[in-house]
Amino acid sequence: MARAIVRGTAAWKYFGDFRDALLAGQVLVLQVAHPVVAAGVRDHSDYTSDPWTRLMRTGASLSIYVYGGASGAQVEAARLRSLHRSFTGVADGHRYSALDPLAYAWVHATLVKVPVDAQRFFGRPLSDVELEEYYAQMCDVGRLLGVRERDLPPDWAAFERYYDSMVAGFARNPTIDTLFETIRTVPKPVRWLPDSWWRWHGRTQLFLIRATLPPGLRERLGLQWTLRDQRRFWRFASAVRVLATPIPAALRTAHMRWIGKLNVWLRHHPEVYRRLASRMS
């Protein structure tokens, strides 16, 4: 068992950092690059028609794992496993389940990697001591979520080898193409946003995906990346680093901690939760 996730520990400081949002597109691509996850998203997700509701629910769920306490995480884990139990189908002539242990472990792995990559690109890379604590804490979260012990690499070095070997086996698939098209064409979440700003936002999301995907996978997906692109990304990352790094961790994570606590409260007031969920459906 790792040290509990409390104020000042590695998972507390980094999992909810607002810079993690810059990798939202990247982590979605990495998840649906897995064939089982791709099939489940294709058959059971309506993110192409209602991405904002799905995004809010995903953020709310993630916040509970780290900032909702052990009891909150256990309740949320049980809810998610119950929800996904019915997500089954056939892909390439084989039956699949959203609770396929290897696919389930991969989705967890992508979420573990995001804060580390966000700090590497846009902040200060985690020290070896921080990585050890952070990974141990996220393994405890994985166990709460039902990831099998044998699917949790024993340390960060082993995790990186596992992660790299998984990415090396991925290739382009139709679900990834649909994701890119959704990012290009998704309607504005609110009408008052200027169209020019929203087009810029879409282009920026696609640029960040190209910038932060593992280079080998980026090439296999046919995504162009030039030296000029790399220089643009270096300038952008440097600006984020300069502006965000001096901000205390308590402020960088405040939004996720607040959402986590709110969602734990909602789970204890199911009538309120059900009313809100029905309005978002």
Side-chain angles (χ1 to χ4, degrees):
M1 290 289 290
R3 183 181 176 189
I5 300 175
V6 296
R7 187 182 184 91
T9 61
W12 187 93
K13 289 192 295 185
Y14 297 117
F15 190 81
D17 191 307
F18 64 80
R19 285 169 288 188
D20 296 350
L22 296 172
L23 297 182
Q26 181 236 48
V27 73
L28 287 175
V29 172
L30 285 164
Q31 288 180 359
V32 300
H34 192 291
V36 172
V37 179
V41 168
R42 179 198 65 203
D43 295 342
H44 298 284
S45 176
D46 61 353
Y47 78 95
T48 57
S49 60
D50 189 15
W52 309 118
T53 295
R54 294 302 164 204
L55 182 61
M56 287 187 288
R57 286 180 175 173
T58 299
S61 185
L62 290 175
S63 67
I64 295 176
Y65 304 149
V66 173
Y67 302 110
S71 61
Q74 287 174 335
V75 171
E76 180 64 7
R79 185 190 72 84
L80 283 179
R81 290 187 69 83
S82 176
L83 175 67
H84 288 87
R85 195 166 287 118
S86 63
F87 291 0
T88 60
V90 176
D92 298 326
H94 301 283
R95 291 199 60 80
Y96 73 83
S97 166
L99 294 181
D100 173 88
L102 298 180
Y104 200 68
W106 172 245
V107 170
H108 177 254
T110 63
L111 299 175
V112 170
K113 192 72 156 50
V114 165
V116 178
D117 281 349
Q119 293 303 313
R120 176 168 60 90
F121 287 126
F122 307 113
R124 176 185 58 81
L126 276 65
S127 67
D128 291 342
V129 172
E130 287 178 314
L131 274 173
E132 181 181 357
E133 179 178 70
Y134 170 78
Y135 182 65
Q137 290 177 321
M138 295 309 295
C139 281
D140 281 349
V141 171
R143 294 183 187 98
L144 284 174
L145 292 172
V147 178
R148 300 180 305 186
E149 189 68 37
R150 63 178 178 270
D151 295 326
L152 293 168
D155 53 38
W156 182 255
F159 172 83
E160 285 195 303
R161 290 193 295 272
Y162 155 75
Y163 187 92
D164 291 344
S165 69
M166 290 293 292
V167 171
F170 294 151
R172 187 170 179 171
N173 65 50
T175 305
I176 293 177
D177 293 338
T178 300
L179 174 61
F180 287 150
E181 185 61 21
T182 299
I183 294 172
R184 293 187 189 97
T185 62
V186 62
K188 297 181 294 185
V190 290
R191 294 180 180 178
W192 49 262
L193 283 176
D195 290 342
S196 58
W197 186 91
W198 190 242
R199 288 192 296 270
W200 172 86
H201 175 268
R203 291 194 299 270
T204 301
Q205 287 295 321
L206 292 169
F207 175 76
L208 288 173
I209 289 172
R210 290 190 292 123
T212 59
L213 277 176
L217 180 59
R218 180 174 62 207
E219 183 176 346
R220 291 194 298 277
L221 296 181
L223 301 177
Q224 186 180 18
W225 188 249
T226 66
L227 182 58
R228 181 183 178 188
D229 291 329
Q230 186 63 58
R231 288 169 178 161
R232 287 175 59 205
F233 179 65
W234 281 338
R235 291 194 296 269
F236 175 80
S238 296
V240 174
R241 187 178 303 114
V242 168
L243 293 172
T245 301
I247 300 173
L251 292 180
R252 296 198 305 266
T253 61
H255 63 299
M256 286 292 278
R257 289 187 288 111
W258 182 85
I259 292 171
K261 291 176 181 178
L262 173 63
N263 277 279
V264 170
W265 183 89
L266 287 172
R267 298 302 190 267
H268 286 93
H269 297 79
E271 291 298 325
V272 178
Y273 177 76
R274 279 194 290 269
R275 286 199 299 269
L276 288 175
S278 64
R279 292 177 183 176
M280 294 172 62
S281 298

